[in-house]
Amino acid sequence: MRSRAACALSLALGSCLVASGIAWRDASGSGALTLAELMTRMASTSGVAAQFREVKELKLLVAPLVTRGTLYFVPPDRLARFTSEPGFSALVIDGSVLRYHDDPQGEAIDLSQSPMARAFVENFIVLFNGDREGLERVYRADLRSGEEGWELRLTPRHAPLDRLIEVITMRGDESGMREMVVQDSDGDRTTTTFVAVDANRAFDPEEIDRLFSSGLPLRDDGP
Amino acid sequence: VNRLVAASWIVVTVALLAFCAAKLRISTNITHFMPDSSRSELGAVAGRLADSPFSRTMVLSVGADALPTAIAAAGELAGALREHPEVAWVRSSVDDTQLERAFELYYPRRLGFLSDEPESEVPKILAEPALRESAREARRRLSSPAATVFESLVVSDPFGAFQRIVERLRGNEPALRIERGQFVTRDGRFAIVLLGTKGSAFDSARQGQLLLDLRESFDGIAGRLGGGLFLEQSGANRFAVAAETDMRSEVYVIAACSFLGVAALFFTFVGSLRGFLVVSVPPLAGILVATSASLALFGQIDGLTMMFGTSLMGIAIDYSNHLLLHHGLDTSGETGARTARRLRPSLVLGALTTVASFAGLAMTAFPAFREMSFFAGVGVATALLVTLTLLPDLLGFVPPLPARAANAAAGLARTFGSLDRMPRALAMTPLAVGLLAIAALPGLRWQDDMSQLTRFDPELVAEVERVRERVSQPDSGRFVIGLGSDGSAAVALNDRIHERLRGVIEAGGLEGTRSLHTLLWSEDLQRRNLAAVRADAGLYERVDAVFAQEGFRSGSFLPFREALLESSAPLTLDDLQSSPLADLLVPFVFPLGEQVAVVTYLRGSRSPDAIRAAIADLPGVFLLNQRTFVNDVYREFRETTLRQILVGGAFVLGLLFLRYRAWRPVVASFLPSALVAVLVLATLSLAGAPVNLLHVMSLIMVMGMGVDYGIFLVDSANRREDFGPTLLSLLMSCLTTAFVFGTLAFSTQPALHAIGVTAGLGIVLCYLFAPVVVVAMGLLARRDRGGG
């Protein structure tokens, strides 16, 4: 059960993972972006802060669930995702540590020892370190780009991810990534759109401590 | 010595040694010290808990300048400890296997674990408002990152029955969280490792080695990792090892002083090592025969019985010493056998009065006292027999006594013989002691809290308390115990205990509990829960409707309808005991003779009376405060001992009357020991020192010796040349006792100090009072008062 929970968290992390790499700009201006370039830019950002809106279409529910929140990425291996609507939740990756909690005053659940979560965190680190080979060991990556923008499709190669996720699709343009869609194997779909992206956010030590030690969003974002 | 006789003695000795070596089993069963059967039952539980997995658990707290360093060190330490032969288990995080298995065991049976009061509470859980709240909570969870796993569960468990089980299990865990796969305290300052030892926490030899190895491992890790690492530990074994280490270091010093003192004494008055070895034969023979006889009769010997019994055997050395000095100081060329025959009436009476003083203990309800009485009786009788039969032959091996022995005997006879110049003043002595007793004894304070008999380093106590607080361990030594005829009955009884204690918690009399109830409910309670759910005929339709109103797709909850129709057998104790969760049961349930005991650990017990009242009508259920329970037993133990001193005294007086048939020698023999008992207690009272069981037990030994002193002096007062040797033999006995036991008075450990003060002060007073009373009673005045 624990590994299933970790697996579910990993799905959510998928959106964090990709969203944190939203800041890119085609240096050549040709519009023909390669996976190597995309990953290099992910690894080279000084930091990212973005707001997101997530729409979950679950077969269990008549209407989609809408979630809003903020996401932070501090290179090379720190990422925090906070939701503010419909309720508070926090998912924090700090190096090899992965924690989750849904009460600002409550205690976080540490999932670092879960094999599934650990594998996902390792993949996350590989991606932001620009390790294209490492990424392609886990996902089959298909990047297309054109005048309208680009689209990266990541299809899990191995269990247990391939049992849960059919495909992750990220779409963006020269101003950055705008949307990510996670299509689950059971038919559920999660679509995340990003707004107010700051692709060169610098974080001071106090902010880093609040985000990754206390597991709380920055004050102007509030829980 | 006749070779055949010598060979016979050797054969008997070797045979007894072989028997003891083969059969010797020393028990430390607390029930030996329980006065009746009902207390014995509770005592057995107390004993079991004293050596339970709970008492074998250590908590290691690792601190550092930064938590990641502490976590890394704790992880390494846990790994090293897993390899240690004395470590049964190590936990530094939650075991994934246990969680998986818990899901498999509990999820199919989740509807049986809804409520402690299913008839009244289940309808509320299934009522429309509660279902609507469940639906809203489900929507909230579906928006969380854990939605995928929750989505698969909610369709078969819409109102969170399994979540209730998980929350109960979490409530039973120590107050810890997990960081980087490692238990850390809630404040995130310390990494925590829990470990269980294979051996008893009170096996100080094994635990001492473990603690040493643990410290060595940690120091190695701290040396490598640096970062201000420090280790603090909590565990009963730390106190056991500290007590043993402190006592041992003191006992070594004290034993060395005693040995030097006794050796100097024998060198001064006997002048040879052989003399010492010869007089040691009777008491050693007494211990050997008493041990063999006790093993043959009882099958085993209680550790404390043997300790007290052996120390009481110290009296027996007086018989051989008495014979050695009388023979050595005899100037008429008397043989050893003849000296023994001459002294036989005194020695036999001395031995008989000693046995009689123990006879009172044999009539108590304490099995340990009966064993102790038997041990001392057999031992003293054997020592007397050896003194009268074997020792006269062995005296031939002892070189002549040095001249200073004769001079000392003559000097003592002159000194004490001169006392009869002031008979009135001597007669005032008992009166003065009586008056002192009347003034002082009412102020005597009894100390029955045996925990006060061991003094621990305050820093150790503070460290253990700090660590216990970090993990919110339950109060040590406070339990509610239930005894059931079998596992099912015990679990059913535990349901009722939990229900009653919940009431006490709600009333504020108790902070919390750790109980088997978080893991297992009785089959009956599980069936009642299931019946209460199934009794709601339209439940599935109502769930579907309410959840649909909250945005769920109608028809999504078919797995729940199937779950309602499934018939999983209730979870049983056997199911859990044969699962990977069995380890979790060990502190809570265990067999006890023909019964099964269930234990609830209490935390923040504010009102023991309320707890006692809550469980009063539950058969086979007790509130046990180990500390007060043991103290109560010791108080009873001490009171019984005091009563039996009086009973034993009456036996001794009877024997003395049978022998002397005149009141003066009877009083002269008996009064010194009685005066000493009163004076020692009065002195302790005046000094403001509390009196405990060990004082009383030491007093028995001293009084036995006091009566012997009286008898030997009364008998030797009949023969002018015997008075000096008797005074010298008694002086040696007195000083030997003072060196062996009296030096314990300098111990910083209250237990050893109590024995030392009583034995040291008592035996010196015995030696002073015995000749004073003999002279005061005019027994010496009718003879030649010059003595030797």
PDB file of all heavy atoms in Angstrom, chain A residues 22-26 150 172-178 197 199:
ATOM      1  N   ILE A  22       9.901  24.839 -16.985  1.00  0.00           N
ATOM      2  CA  ILE A  22       9.130  25.589 -17.964  1.00  0.00           C
ATOM      3  C   ILE A  22       9.908  26.738 -18.609  1.00  0.00           C
ATOM      4  O   ILE A  22       9.565  27.207 -19.676  1.00  0.00           O
ATOM      5  CB  ILE A  22       7.849  26.160 -17.345  1.00  0.00           C
ATOM      6  CG1 ILE A  22       8.225  26.981 -16.114  1.00  0.00           C
ATOM      7  CG2 ILE A  22       6.874  25.068 -17.051  1.00  0.00           C
ATOM      8  CD1 ILE A  22       7.035  27.604 -15.444  1.00  0.00           C
ATOM      9  N   ALA A  23      10.934  27.205 -17.909  1.00  0.00           N
ATOM     10  CA  ALA A  23      11.619  28.387 -18.440  1.00  0.00           C
ATOM     11  C   ALA A  23      12.640  27.980 -19.483  1.00  0.00           C
ATOM     12  O   ALA A  23      13.668  27.424 -19.174  1.00  0.00           O
ATOM     13  CB  ALA A  23      12.299  29.128 -17.308  1.00  0.00           C
ATOM     14  N   TRP A  24      12.301  28.211 -20.676  1.00  0.00           N
ATOM     15  CA  TRP A  24      13.268  27.921 -21.737  1.00  0.00           C
ATOM     16  C   TRP A  24      13.098  28.940 -22.843  1.00  0.00           C
ATOM     17  O   TRP A  24      12.081  29.616 -22.961  1.00  0.00           O
ATOM     18  CB  TRP A  24      13.050  26.508 -22.299  1.00  0.00           C
ATOM     19  CG  TRP A  24      11.823  26.431 -23.193  1.00  0.00           C
ATOM     20  CD1 TRP A  24      10.555  26.334 -22.784  1.00  0.00           C
ATOM     21  CD2 TRP A  24      11.812  26.515 -24.610  1.00  0.00           C
ATOM     22  NE1 TRP A  24       9.708  26.339 -23.830  1.00  0.00           N
ATOM     23  CE2 TRP A  24      10.460  26.444 -24.996  1.00  0.00           C
ATOM     24  CE3 TRP A  24      12.790  26.651 -25.604  1.00  0.00           C
ATOM     25  CZ2 TRP A  24      10.054  26.488 -26.318  1.00  0.00           C
ATOM     26  CZ3 TRP A  24      12.373  26.689 -26.911  1.00  0.00           C
ATOM     27  CH2 TRP A  24      11.011  26.608 -27.255  1.00  0.00           C
ATOM     28  N   ARG A  25      14.036  29.081 -23.590  1.00  0.00           N
ATOM     29  CA  ARG A  25      13.957  29.977 -24.739  1.00  0.00           C
ATOM     30  C   ARG A  25      14.890  29.426 -25.805  1.00  0.00           C
ATOM     31  O   ARG A  25      16.014  29.037 -25.508  1.00  0.00           O
ATOM     32  CB  ARG A  25      14.390  31.399 -24.338  1.00  0.00           C
ATOM     33  CG  ARG A  25      13.845  32.454 -25.264  1.00  0.00           C
ATOM     34  CD  ARG A  25      14.010  33.817 -24.638  1.00  0.00           C
ATOM     35  NE  ARG A  25      13.120  34.012 -23.500  1.00  0.00           N
ATOM     36  CZ  ARG A  25      11.841  34.369 -23.598  1.00  0.00           C
ATOM     37  NH1 ARG A  25      11.305  34.566 -24.785  1.00  0.00           N
ATOM     38  NH2 ARG A  25      11.114  34.555 -22.541  1.00  0.00           N
ATOM     39  N   ASP A  26      14.378  29.290 -26.946  1.00  0.00           N
ATOM     40  CA  ASP A  26      15.178  28.734 -28.030  1.00  0.00           C
ATOM     41  C   ASP A  26      16.296  29.703 -28.390  1.00  0.00           C
ATOM     42  O   ASP A  26      16.059  30.779 -28.921  1.00  0.00           O
ATOM     43  CB  ASP A  26      14.277  28.472 -29.239  1.00  0.00           C
ATOM     44  CG  ASP A  26      15.062  27.862 -30.381  1.00  0.00           C
ATOM     45  OD1 ASP A  26      16.254  27.535 -30.169  1.00  0.00           O
ATOM     46  OD2 ASP A  26      14.486  27.708 -31.459  1.00  0.00           O
ATOM     47  N   TRP A 150       6.298  23.773 -28.963  1.00  0.00           N
ATOM     48  CA  TRP A 150       6.864  22.437 -28.900  1.00  0.00           C
ATOM     49  C   TRP A 150       5.976  21.523 -28.070  1.00  0.00           C
ATOM     50  O   TRP A 150       5.169  21.987 -27.253  1.00  0.00           O
ATOM     51  CB  TRP A 150       8.285  22.452 -28.330  1.00  0.00           C
ATOM     52  CG  TRP A 150       8.386  23.141 -26.980  1.00  0.00           C
ATOM     53  CD1 TRP A 150       8.651  24.452 -26.769  1.00  0.00           C
ATOM     54  CD2 TRP A 150       8.183  22.543 -25.709  1.00  0.00           C
ATOM     55  NE1 TRP A 150       8.634  24.730 -25.445  1.00  0.00           N
ATOM     56  CE2 TRP A 150       8.353  23.565 -24.757  1.00  0.00           C
ATOM     57  CE3 TRP A 150       7.871  21.261 -25.274  1.00  0.00           C
ATOM     58  CZ2 TRP A 150       8.226  23.349 -23.389  1.00  0.00           C
ATOM     59  CZ3 TRP A 150       7.757  21.039 -23.906  1.00  0.00           C
ATOM     60  CH2 TRP A 150       7.930  22.075 -22.978  1.00  0.00           C
ATOM     61  N   GLY A 172       4.605  23.774 -24.885  1.00  0.00           N
ATOM     62  CA  GLY A 172       5.092  25.115 -24.586  1.00  0.00           C
ATOM     63  C   GLY A 172       5.400  25.872 -25.859  1.00  0.00           C
ATOM     64  O   GLY A 172       5.224  25.366 -26.970  1.00  0.00           O
ATOM     65  N   ASP A 173       5.849  27.094 -25.654  1.00  0.00           N
ATOM     66  CA  ASP A 173       6.275  27.890 -26.797  1.00  0.00           C
ATOM     67  C   ASP A 173       7.544  28.611 -26.388  1.00  0.00           C
ATOM     68  O   ASP A 173       8.138  28.295 -25.338  1.00  0.00           O
ATOM     69  CB  ASP A 173       5.172  28.859 -27.246  1.00  0.00           C
ATOM     70  CG  ASP A 173       4.671  29.724 -26.101  1.00  0.00           C
ATOM     71  OD1 ASP A 173       5.503  29.984 -25.189  1.00  0.00           O
ATOM     72  OD2 ASP A 173       3.497  30.129 -26.094  1.00  0.00           O
ATOM     73  N   GLU A 174       7.920  29.601 -27.155  1.00  0.00           N
ATOM     74  CA  GLU A 174       9.215  30.208 -26.859  1.00  0.00           C
ATOM     75  C   GLU A 174       9.223  30.996 -25.551  1.00  0.00           C
ATOM     76  O   GLU A 174      10.274  31.305 -24.999  1.00  0.00           O
ATOM     77  CB  GLU A 174       9.666  31.125 -28.011  1.00  0.00           C
ATOM     78  CG  GLU A 174       8.767  32.307 -28.248  1.00  0.00           C
ATOM     79  CD  GLU A 174       9.341  33.179 -29.371  1.00  0.00           C
ATOM     80  OE1 GLU A 174      10.194  32.671 -30.122  1.00  0.00           O
ATOM     81  OE2 GLU A 174       8.927  34.323 -29.471  1.00  0.00           O
ATOM     82  N   SER A 175       8.034  31.290 -25.028  1.00  0.00           N
ATOM     83  CA  SER A 175       8.013  31.975 -23.733  1.00  0.00           C
ATOM     84  C   SER A 175       8.054  30.982 -22.571  1.00  0.00           C
ATOM     85  O   SER A 175       8.157  31.375 -21.417  1.00  0.00           O
ATOM     86  CB  SER A 175       6.748  32.836 -23.622  1.00  0.00           C
ATOM     87  OG  SER A 175       5.605  32.011 -23.677  1.00  0.00           O
ATOM     88  N   GLY A 176       7.980  29.693 -22.855  1.00  0.00           N
ATOM     89  CA  GLY A 176       8.076  28.694 -21.792  1.00  0.00           C
ATOM     90  C   GLY A 176       6.997  27.644 -21.916  1.00  0.00           C
ATOM     91  O   GLY A 176       6.204  27.658 -22.866  1.00  0.00           O
ATOM     92  N   MET A 177       6.972  26.709 -20.935  1.00  0.00           N
ATOM     93  CA  MET A 177       5.966  25.655 -20.987  1.00  0.00           C
ATOM     94  C   MET A 177       4.639  26.190 -20.460  1.00  0.00           C
ATOM     95  O   MET A 177       4.600  26.935 -19.479  1.00  0.00           O
ATOM     96  CB  MET A 177       6.396  24.454 -20.147  1.00  0.00           C
ATOM     97  CG  MET A 177       5.506  23.258 -20.396  1.00  0.00           C
ATOM     98  SD  MET A 177       6.141  21.766 -19.652  1.00  0.00           S
ATOM     99  CE  MET A 177       5.654  22.007 -17.982  1.00  0.00           C
ATOM    100  N   ARG A 178       3.576  25.813 -21.119  1.00  0.00           N
ATOM    101  CA  ARG A 178       2.262  26.338 -20.761  1.00  0.00           C
ATOM    102  C   ARG A 178       1.329  25.283 -20.195  1.00  0.00           C
ATOM    103  O   ARG A 178       0.443  25.603 -19.414  1.00  0.00           O
ATOM    104  CB  ARG A 178       1.599  26.937 -22.012  1.00  0.00           C
ATOM    105  CG  ARG A 178       2.268  28.200 -22.494  1.00  0.00           C
ATOM    106  CD  ARG A 178       2.094  29.287 -21.458  1.00  0.00           C
ATOM    107  NE  ARG A 178       2.902  30.457 -21.759  1.00  0.00           N
ATOM    108  CZ  ARG A 178       3.375  31.271 -20.853  1.00  0.00           C
ATOM    109  NH1 ARG A 178       3.179  31.020 -19.575  1.00  0.00           N
ATOM    110  NH2 ARG A 178       4.065  32.320 -21.180  1.00  0.00           N
ATOM    111  N   VAL A 197       4.891  32.803 -14.466  1.00  0.00           N
ATOM    112  CA  VAL A 197       6.150  32.064 -14.331  1.00  0.00           C
ATOM    113  C   VAL A 197       7.318  33.030 -14.177  1.00  0.00           C
ATOM    114  O   VAL A 197       7.476  33.958 -14.948  1.00  0.00           O
ATOM    115  CB  VAL A 197       6.381  31.177 -15.574  1.00  0.00           C
ATOM    116  CG1 VAL A 197       7.712  30.450 -15.452  1.00  0.00           C
ATOM    117  CG2 VAL A 197       5.237  30.193 -15.746  1.00  0.00           C
ATOM    118  N   ALA A 199      11.100  32.592 -14.344  1.00  0.00           N
ATOM    119  CA  ALA A 199      12.055  31.544 -14.707  1.00  0.00           C
ATOM    120  C   ALA A 199      13.452  31.812 -14.174  1.00  0.00           C
ATOM    121  O   ALA A 199      14.331  30.963 -14.282  1.00  0.00           O
ATOM    122  CB  ALA A 199      12.113  31.396 -16.220  1.00  0.00           C
TER     123      ALA A 199
END
